Amino acid sequence: MADALKIGIAGLGTVGASLVRIIQQRSNELAVTCGRPIKIVAVTARDSTRDRGIDLTGIEWYGGPVDLAQKADIDVFVELMGGAEGAANASVRAALARGLHVVTANKALLAYHGVELATIAEEKGALLNFEAAVAGGIPVIKALRESLTGNTISRVYGIMNGTCNYILTRMEKEGLSFADCLKEAQRLGYAEADPAFDIEGNDTAHKLAILTTLAFGNRIAADDIYLEGITNISIDDIRAAADLGYRIKLLGVAQRTETGIEQRVHPTMVPQDSVIAQVDGVTNAVAIESDILGELLMVGPGAGGNATASSVLGDIADIAKSQPGAQRVPALGHPAAALEPYRKAQMQSHEGGYFIRLTVQDRTGVFASVATRMAENHISLESIVQRSKQHLSPSEHQTIILVTHATTEDSIRKAVSAIKTEGYLVGEPQVIRIERPKAG
Ligand SMILES: NC(=O)c1ccc[n+]([C@@H]2O[C@H](COP(=O)([O-])OP(=O)(O)OC[C@H]3O[C@@H](n4cnc5c(N)ncnc54)[C@H](OP(=O)(O)O)[C@@H]3O)[C@@H](O)[C@H]2O)c1
């Protein structure tokens, strides 16, 4: 049997500890599958005294990740600490500079430094694998990077944040408010004490930026993403969506358009009978639409120690099986130098259907005025209904709900601005984009 593949792991938290456990428990099977043993020889974390429920006997403990990356006698540096900057960034660079292969689950690092890191990896003939960085256990990186080579991809979208999907699912199923569902998610450990990063959509945006590059071959543009979180979604929206045959999901969507690439993260109405609408709770889903294959939808666990470690282990196993000196699959699917500048499509030119919920004063002429403003902006309506007071949250006001046929973001914004000047609106209008899967 070939020599063991020696790995060093920086970060022994949820994912790191699971990885150590799995590699140790399955060492015999892994050796057979990979044709060589996988051996953990070095580790590090912040606190060397903490009991992590894993056996670190015979494994060298390093004082810091950069130290480990620079000095340990390893073939692969596994980064499981997190964060775009600091220790994760410095240690991954140090490892690549030495020509070590790198495996990471760190979406923030990839979203902000992926192109640079991929360039160094290519120069050094090293592999930079990051399957766990997007949608945890779902093998979407490999699908885009390798399996779909030759396909022209038109759209990639998905539910990539379990916290948001859990909250939206609970709101719908239990009729609870956003705030109550967030508290529940925090109590169950699905949401961080500071949940902003998840619920404002940033986490999904980092993952989307990586998928966009793999799908369209552009340089990563993590700061060029239209972003709306779910904090604004009310139980009234969820009920109205259900009545109209839709569910609300936080989607990340990357789409090729005539004017460039659209990258957007926002609450989205998806048809109730679509497969993605059935993805509930903390589960993730990623859909890829391409010309040869058609639509591919992958559903599975997007987070958690074992699910994430499963992807990390797959990346390590790929390295174990790779031949020294062999042609490497470029980290970002295309050689880093061949990535094109990101050509951003303007959000104003986004085309699609829209759901609009207006709370209005209960007076004559309002309904007609709303319809007129829509018509003036060439927006054709699929439906427009005035809800009775009993139907939605009781109030002194009326609710008007509109669903449009495909139109542009620009037209919608103009129509809504015009409605705002009429003086009958109570509170801010709610506007939710509708996304239709190509099939099923
Ligand atoms: N958890 C998930 O479900 C999941 C899913 C997909 C991707 N990921 C990604 O996986 C990575 C790890 O996540 P996690 O949930 O395992 O995080 P975690 O539980 O917070 O663990 C982080 C680990 O990194 C160590 N660490 C942090 N800063 C360090 C530093 N400066 N020097 C040395 N060690 C340091 C911590 O040490 P101490 O233990 O001593 O504090 C801890 O062991 C992140 O990039 C995350 O985005 C996680």
Side-chain angles (χ1 to χ4, degrees):
M1 189 172 282
D3 290 346
L5 182 82
K6 290 176 279 180
I7 68 170
I9 305 173
L12 297 170
T14 307
V15 183
S18 287
L19 180 69
V20 171
R21 216 170 285 123
I22 295 168
I23 290 179
Q24 289 175 340
Q25 285 166 354
R26 303 189 179 198
S27 59
N28 292 340
E29 297 95 311
L30 284 168
V32 173
T33 313
C34 299
R36 60 196 290 203
I38 292 174
K39 192 159 185 251
I40 305 168
V41 300
V43 291
T44 188
R46 271 180 303 221
D47 182 353
S48 63
T49 63
R50 185 187 298 176
D51 177 7
R52 301 167 189 277
I54 46 175
D55 183 5
L56 297 177
T57 316
I59 300 174
E60 193 171 356
W61 183 281
Y62 276 76
V66 175
D67 207 31
L68 190 158
Q70 284 175 335
K71 299 189 189 141
D73 177 19
I74 53 175
D75 306 300
V76 185
F77 178 72
V78 183
E79 186 279 305
L80 298 172
M81 297 176 286
E85 309 300 334
N89 192 334
S91 57
V92 165
R93 281 171 197 273
L96 289 174
R98 256 181 91 188
L100 297 180
H101 302 299
V102 169
V103 174
T104 177
N106 189 335
K107 61 228 144 195
L109 179 69
L110 264 298
Y112 287 104
H113 303 287
V115 176
E116 225 182 314
L117 297 176
T119 306
I120 304 172
E122 282 168 27
E123 282 167 8
K124 296 288 179 179
L127 286 160
L128 170 62
N129 288 347
F130 50 90
E131 185 61 73
V134 180
I138 302 177
V140 61
I141 302 294
K142 201 163 195 168
L144 282 170
R145 187 159 75 173
E146 298 170 43
S147 317
L148 294 175
T149 303
N151 277 264
T152 298
I153 292 165
S154 48
R155 180 166 63 159
V156 181
Y157 63 96
I159 298 169
M160 293 178 266
N161 184 275
T163 308
C164 291
N165 206 45
Y166 177 82
I167 292 172
L168 293 171
T169 304
R170 294 290 292 167
M171 285 174 77
E172 185 187 353
K173 300 243 188 284
E174 306 299 326
L176 298 170
S177 70
F178 172 82
D180 286 343
C181 292
L182 174 58
K183 273 192 218 130
E184 184 186 68
Q186 285 172 317
R187 190 165 42 76
L188 294 171
Y190 294 148
E192 304 283 336
D194 176 5
F197 202 69
D198 289 321
I199 62 178
E200 304 289 356
N202 305 78
D203 175 75
T204 302
H206 285 163
K207 295 167 182 168
L208 183 69
I210 297 168
L211 294 188
T212 306
T213 287
L214 288 161
F216 303 125
N218 57 273
R219 295 176 75 82
I220 304 176
D223 286 329
D224 263 331
I225 297 182
Y226 178 81
L227 200 58
E228 262 178 47
I230 61 165
T231 52
N232 217 5
I233 297 296
S234 72
I235 191 68
D236 289 347
D237 296 319
I238 289 183
R239 285 186 186 141
D243 283 353
L244 293 162
Y246 294 93
R247 287 211 167 109
I248 300 178
K249 300 286 179 191
L250 181 78
L251 291 193
V253 186
Q255 185 170 8
R256 204 193 281 275
T257 75
E258 277 172 17
T259 59
I261 294 167
E262 264 182 23
Q263 291 191 106
R264 45 195 170 84
V265 173
H266 50 70
T268 311
M269 299 211 339
V270 288
Q272 245 164 14
D273 56 3
S274 61
V275 183
I276 202 157
Q278 321 300 324
V279 176
D280 282 341
V282 291
T283 305
N284 279 199
V286 181
I288 303 169
E289 292 172 357
S290 68
D291 58 349
I292 308 174
L293 179 67
E295 187 178 39
L296 171 69
L297 180 72
M298 291 186 270
V299 179
N306 278 350
T308 311
S310 162
S311 285
V312 174
L313 183 56
D315 280 349
I316 295 170
D318 275 352
I319 295 170
K321 292 175 197 164
S322 69
Q323 299 298 323
Q327 175 81 22
R328 304 283 185 214
V329 179
L332 297 171
H334 303 66
L339 293 170
E340 289 175 5
Y342 177 65
R343 196 160 69 95
K344 179 184 179 176
Q346 292 308 310
M347 194 59 197
Q348 256 88 343
S349 45
H350 166 70
E351 285 181 28
Y354 287 77
F355 160 97
I356 302 170
R357 183 172 60 81
L358 306 170
T359 307
V360 298
Q361 290 169 4
D362 190 5
R363 57 166 140 114
T364 17
V366 171
F367 196 75
S369 160
V370 169
T372 305
R373 292 302 182 203
M374 291 289 146
E376 281 169 1
N377 287 285
H378 315 290
I379 298 168
S380 129
L381 297 177
E382 190 179 299
S383 70
I384 172 167
V385 285
Q386 193 149 355
R387 293 292 194 204
S388 64
K389 287 175 191 163
Q390 301 91 308
H391 185 84
L392 296 167
S393 309
S395 82
E396 293 303 305
H397 310 298
Q398 291 288 315
T399 299
I400 297 178
I401 289 169
L402 305 102
V403 174
T404 78
H405 288 296
T407 181
T408 63
E409 179 93 8
D410 189 44
S411 301
I412 290 289
R413 288 187 190 177
K414 282 184 179 142
V416 169
S417 303
I419 289 168
K420 278 182 169 178
T421 63
E422 299 279 6
Y424 48 68
L425 271 190
V426 180
E428 274 297 301
Q430 177 67 289
V431 177
I432 302 177
R433 294 166 194 87
I434 298 172
E435 200 78 26
R436 292 186 189 283
K438 204 166 166 186

